[in-house]
Amino acid sequence: MMKPQLADEAFVKARLGELPGWGLEETKWIVKRYRFRAFLDGIAFVQEVARIAEEANHHPLIAIDYKVVTLKLTTWSAGGLTELDLESAGRFDAAYAAVRGEAQEGE
């Protein structure tokens, strides 16, 4: 398998403009905090993130702080950010929208 290519800074900044709430950290990470109405909604989101990550074989760092879930992405094998990180961020955002929609319907 080929080593993923690092994304250049202009590409990362342009893509981050399309991913609200995601921020650049230490030039090699993208980070986002997701807030939930209830603890179990956050846990449902983490389960979906895990499913997506397994499917893509690209796993974020995950921190769960009561009703806040923080995701942090980088591509270890490339030594920084790649297109895979930005694609994963978009998929995680879609999962968040889906989980929030289900939570609101169930209230």
Side-chain angles (χ1 to χ4, degrees):
M1 190 161 135
M2 291 183 58
K3 180 178 173 181
Q5 293 286 61
L6 281 174
D8 67 39
E9 187 177 340
F11 177 77
V12 170
K13 287 185 177 180
R15 287 295 305 275
L16 285 177
E18 301 166 5
L19 296 165
W22 284 93
L24 190 59
E25 190 174 282
E26 300 172 15
T27 69
K28 69 175 189 174
W29 296 93
I30 54 172
V31 179
K32 184 170 181 175
R33 286 170 184 78
Y34 297 89
R35 299 187 185 283
F36 297 88
R37 290 184 180 195
F39 175 72
L40 289 178
D41 295 340
I43 297 303
F45 171 67
V46 168
Q47 288 177 317
E48 184 60 13
V49 166
R51 187 195 63 72
I52 292 165
E54 279 292 297
E55 186 178 281
N57 194 28
H58 191 62
H59 304 85
L61 296 181
I62 302 170
I64 303 168
D65 299 298
Y66 186 42
K67 296 190 285 184
V68 176
V69 174
T70 304
L71 300 183
K72 203 170 173 180
L73 285 160
T74 195
T75 301
W76 295 103
S77 61
L81 294 168
T82 67
E83 190 163 351
L84 184 55
D85 299 303
L86 297 154
E87 289 171 3
S88 294
R91 292 186 72 195
F92 298 151
D93 283 351
Y96 176 68
V99 168
R100 290 223 18 181
E102 289 171 11
Q104 289 172 353
E105 287 173 14
E107 292 176 354

